[in-house]
Amino acid sequence: MARPIIHHRTAEFESIVEQIRADLKQIFQTSGEVLVLASSGTGAMEGAVSNTLCRGDRVLVVNSGKFGERWEKICGAFGIEVEEITVEWGRAVDPALIRQKLDKNPSIRAVLMQASETSTGIKNPTAKIAAITRERDDVILIVDGITAVGVFPLPFDELGIDVLVAGSQKAFMLPPGLSFAAMSTKAWEFNKTSDLPKFYFDFKAAAKSADKNTTPWTPAVSLVRGLSQVLKMFVGEGLENMHKRHAVFSSATRSAFEAMEMELFTKDEPSPALSVAVAPPDIGAGPLIKTLKEDFGITVAGGQDQAKGKIFRVSHIGYIDRSDTVAVVSAVEQSLKKLGHGFDFGSGAEAAARIISENL
């Protein structure tokens, strides 16, 4: 990525795009095109809406955390009517509720959800929900997979997802600036009748350019070159090993938190993308996060909205290996001890190291 910029309307750049297109299909597990956009993941989320729906359409949004709310705001900006399923933070949505909503209101045109809700750490049952929407020719499933693609199995074609978006700054190990979108045959049929405004995020234009191994607008050249190297690493490691790595690191970290006598915030199936713990109430998340940063140079995320000051979130995505995982756990232990939390010191690091050594 630090190499000199190359001209994007050249055979050299087109050859890079050609390889990226092939590799992204493997990662998304689709035979269709995976569009590459110069934007954050929210750009792909907006495009997923504007390229499939119409003014006045009604959609069902699963609000299981902060990023579920984003679907509502995007739809609202385009004049789309939103029906919401609100899920308790830390819980996954019950697919039966989605079936009930669709049966009760046949005017619903799309279900929008997060596969992995990073504000709470839960993994939503995408496969079960896709089985419901797959039965309906007049309903599409739009999935935010920004912290899911490359993290756990989410086979696009097999599950019957209709739109799946992702971003460069998560499992793809790159700086922010690229987003990705895959569209099913059903979604492309919806595209034909979509009347929402679109220009920069025109998926039809992006697909037409992709067929020529190029982009409709000036691409983020350095990030695209970085993506080509990341995808080579992914293909070399293999999807199964990638998914296993994330699963092991998240399992090790959660076990470590429990050994430190902390409550896990996620009550249903956790996302392997991160581990979320409730900080000891007498300490709070703020002092713990601050100590990790000042004493160890480690940055972890806090909670948002209702969870602010209560939880902290440790990521397992990106360029992270087993030594990083054990180091974070050890730093949390030392920080908690310094802040006065009583627990069996060393038990967390031991639990994490044991799970990693037994499974990787």
Side-chain angles (χ1 to χ4, degrees), residues 51-103:
N51 283 272
T52 57
L53 300 173
C54 297
R55 293 177 180 86
D57 275 352
R58 177 174 290 275
V59 300
L60 179 63
V61 170
V62 176
N63 183 350
S64 55
K66 190 68 177 176
F67 296 101
E69 295 175 5
R70 189 164 300 179
W71 281 128
E72 295 181 14
K73 293 177 180 178
I74 293 171
C75 289
F78 283 101
I80 294 169
E81 297 181 23
V82 175
E83 193 163 327
E84 177 186 84
I85 293 178
T86 303
V87 185
E88 177 187 349
W89 280 36
R91 296 285 185 184
V93 67
D94 182 353
L97 294 176
I98 292 175
R99 185 180 291 278
Q100 290 171 12
K101 289 280 190 180
L102 293 177
D103 288 343

Side-chain angles (χ1 to χ4, degrees), residues 211-271:
D211 282 340
K212 302 174 184 177
N213 296 319
T214 187
T215 57
W217 322 118
T218 303
V221 174
S222 296
L223 290 174
V224 170
R225 295 180 77 169
L227 176 63
S228 69
Q229 297 303 309
V230 168
L231 291 173
K232 287 178 183 178
M233 293 172 62
F234 283 0
V235 172
E237 182 179 8
L239 265 182
E240 185 176 343
N241 290 330
M242 287 171 57
H243 296 157
K244 181 179 180 181
R245 168 166 52 86
H246 288 98
V248 171
F249 290 164
S250 62
S251 176
T253 305
R254 292 195 308 273
S255 295
F257 287 165
E258 290 181 312
M260 296 180 222
E261 299 184 20
M262 287 189 293
E263 177 189 355
L264 298 178
F265 185 68
T266 307
K267 301 301 186 290
D268 292 326
E269 184 176 3
S271 168

